Amino acid sequence: PLYHHNVVAIRVSPAGEILDSEPILIWEGGTTDGESGEHVFGVASDGTDWAIVMTDTFVSGYNTRVRLIGMRMQPDGTLVQAPQTLYSPSCCVFFYKGSLAYADGVYMAVFEGYVDSWNYGIFGLRLTTSLTTLDSYPLELTTVAMQNETHYYRRPGLASNGSDFYLSWQLYIDDTSSQVYGARIDPAGNSLDGNGVPISDVLPLDLFLAPEVVWDGSQWVVTWPQGHQQMARVGNNGDVLDPGGVDTGLSSGVCIADSSPGLRHVRSEAVGSGAMPYDVLQTTISTDLSVGEDQCLSFGAPAQSQPALATGTTGYLAVFRSTTSSGSRILAHPLDDWGQAHLTEPVELAGGRVGPVSY
């Protein structure tokens, strides 16, 4: 059976404030022909509305079909357009990883996959701001025949500088090696850099390697994991400014543009101890790829463990260890005869990296 998923969204202000108390339902899985499985390709804005593009795998008669679905959302979270089919291949083909961006009046959705029984590669589909398709057939951005071919393209990423797109991908060389490539794409879907330019050195093959690209306000930055997060800057003219990439020393994560030229790198990283020692961290990356200080973004409750309970003449005292990634505390809660807390918050008895509670 196919998996059944709902797609939801939450709006976040530029200051990081969560604007929706409950997630907005974007797409409820299931069609008249059976259950469906969805994968969100991307979300982008034209400066007014948001566009959302995803894949929908569905059952049609005795066959499994796939299609690209698009819809729009206003800034207040109102869906202004019902989901509509953007493209559905006629044969038994499918889409892999995709991305979405907006430049100069045009959305472009890119994906890896087959568009017919023999052509495999990275393709683009251009859309108007109302999500009307501009191309009756996906554009071949990078494509090769699969038979007797040692090179093929996979795992595209896409970003916009407002006037053009930049496409990143993994070039599969052979069964042992691959390389990160990229190319500028104009709003008409033409490559401004031919078949692309190498960005990384030749790497050991990793079928899950998915290079991403982001515009930092002044240049493109292509990122990929290789031990640590690697980054390479690409100028407006397509020149790779950091051939082979720069090792940032950070764990792999995602990059978003900062409010001023530069990036913010967000990741989950083990920084504490215990069974689940992970926090969400962000780090500022400047336009010369220098790395700033880490900032913890996690707002989860601390782990409470190792409780001890003592009986007194007028009630009880509950003592326990409260642990976060930055330290731990010993807290105490005085309780009445019925087990109700006397105080709204526990009292801290000790702080820092303290040991277990002694009974």
Side-chain angles (χ1 to χ4, degrees):
L2 298 174
Y3 291 104
H4 177 93
H5 297 119
N6 290 340
V7 176
V8 299
I10 287 181
R11 296 170 302 132
V12 181
S13 75
E17 178 187 1
I18 296 176
L19 302 177
D20 301 296
S21 58
E22 296 291 336
I24 302 169
L25 179 63
I26 302 296
W27 174 263
E28 188 169 8
T31 68
T32 57
D33 294 313
E35 291 188 345
S36 60
E38 293 76 32
H39 172 70
V40 177
F41 264 31
V43 179
S45 174
D46 62 4
T48 301
D49 295 332
W50 298 99
I52 304 130
V53 172
M54 67 190 74
T55 60
D56 175 31
T57 304
F58 63 101
V59 176
S60 177
Y62 295 102
N63 299 315
T64 299
R65 298 282 302 280
V66 66
R67 59 190 171 184
L68 286 180
I69 294 290
M71 64 201 71
R72 289 186 298 140
M73 177 189 288
Q74 290 180 331
D76 64 359
T78 302
L79 289 173
V80 296
Q81 183 171 324
Q84 66 182 48
T85 298
L86 305 177
Y87 175 69
S88 182
S90 59
C91 62
C92 50
V93 294
F94 44 86
F95 306 103
Y96 287 114
K97 180 185 181 294
S99 190
L100 179 71
Y102 175 85
D104 196 21
V106 175
Y107 286 106
M108 181 171 295
V110 299
F111 59 89
E112 170 201 351
Y114 293 92
V115 293
D116 51 41
S117 300
W118 57 90
N119 280 324
Y120 182 94
I122 295 173
F123 297 84
L125 191 68
R126 297 177 306 134
L127 312 168
T128 67
T129 54
S130 62
L131 302 190
T132 301
T133 55
L134 294 172
D135 307 299
S136 59
Y137 195 79
L139 303 172
E140 299 180 357
L141 302 180
T142 58
T143 182
V144 293
M146 290 295 289
Q147 292 82 7
N148 301 317
E149 179 61 62
T150 57
H151 290 60
Y152 67 95
Y153 311 106
R154 53 186 295 115
R155 303 280 179 170
L158 189 70
S160 165
N161 65 356
S163 57
D164 289 310
F165 302 99
Y166 198 86
L167 177 70
S168 62
W169 68 88
Q170 178 192 174
L171 177 69
Y172 178 102
I173 298 174
D174 54 36
D175 289 342
T176 62
S177 57
S178 66
Q179 196 167 12
V180 175
Y181 263 63
R184 294 169 298 150
I185 308 291
D186 69 17
N190 302 308
S191 174
L192 303 178
D193 298 307
N195 291 324
V197 294
I199 295 174
S200 74
D201 297 328
V202 175
L203 308 172
L205 178 63
D206 179 358
L207 295 178
F208 297 99
L209 176 68
E212 300 289 351
V213 59
V214 64
W215 175 257
D216 77 351
S218 62
Q219 60 199 349
W220 312 101
V221 179
V222 179
T223 71
W224 67 95
Q226 183 189 349
H228 297 130
Q229 190 80 58
Q230 310 295 313
M231 296 186 181
R233 297 168 297 160
V234 179
N236 260 320
N237 60 358
D239 288 345
V240 179
L241 305 180
D242 305 292
V246 173
D247 189 335
T248 64
L250 301 172
S251 302
S252 62
V254 296
C255 285
I256 58 175
D258 206 345
S259 55
S260 57
L263 303 174
R264 290 180 184 266
H265 179 267
V266 182
R267 66 201 182 276
S268 174
E269 189 171 308
V271 294
S273 59
M276 297 293 290
Y278 295 93
D279 269 340
V280 177
L281 305 176
Q282 78 164 359
T283 305
T284 300
I285 309 292
S286 68
T287 54
D288 64 357
L289 299 188
S290 58
V291 179
E293 296 293 325
D294 290 343
Q295 178 185 0
C296 182
L297 300 180
S298 301
F299 294 103
Q304 321 290 6
S305 62
Q306 300 176 356
L309 188 66
T311 303
T313 57
T314 59
Y316 307 91
L317 183 66
V319 182
F320 55 93
R321 186 184 186 189
S322 178
T323 306
T324 65
S325 62
S326 59
S328 53
R329 303 163 297 166
I330 301 299
L331 303 181
H333 242 322
L335 311 174
D336 63 19
D337 289 336
W338 298 95
Q340 301 296 316
H342 285 295
L343 306 174
T344 57
E345 294 291 334
V347 177
E348 181 175 323
L349 302 181
R353 295 194 173 274
V354 298
V357 175
S358 298
Y359 288 86

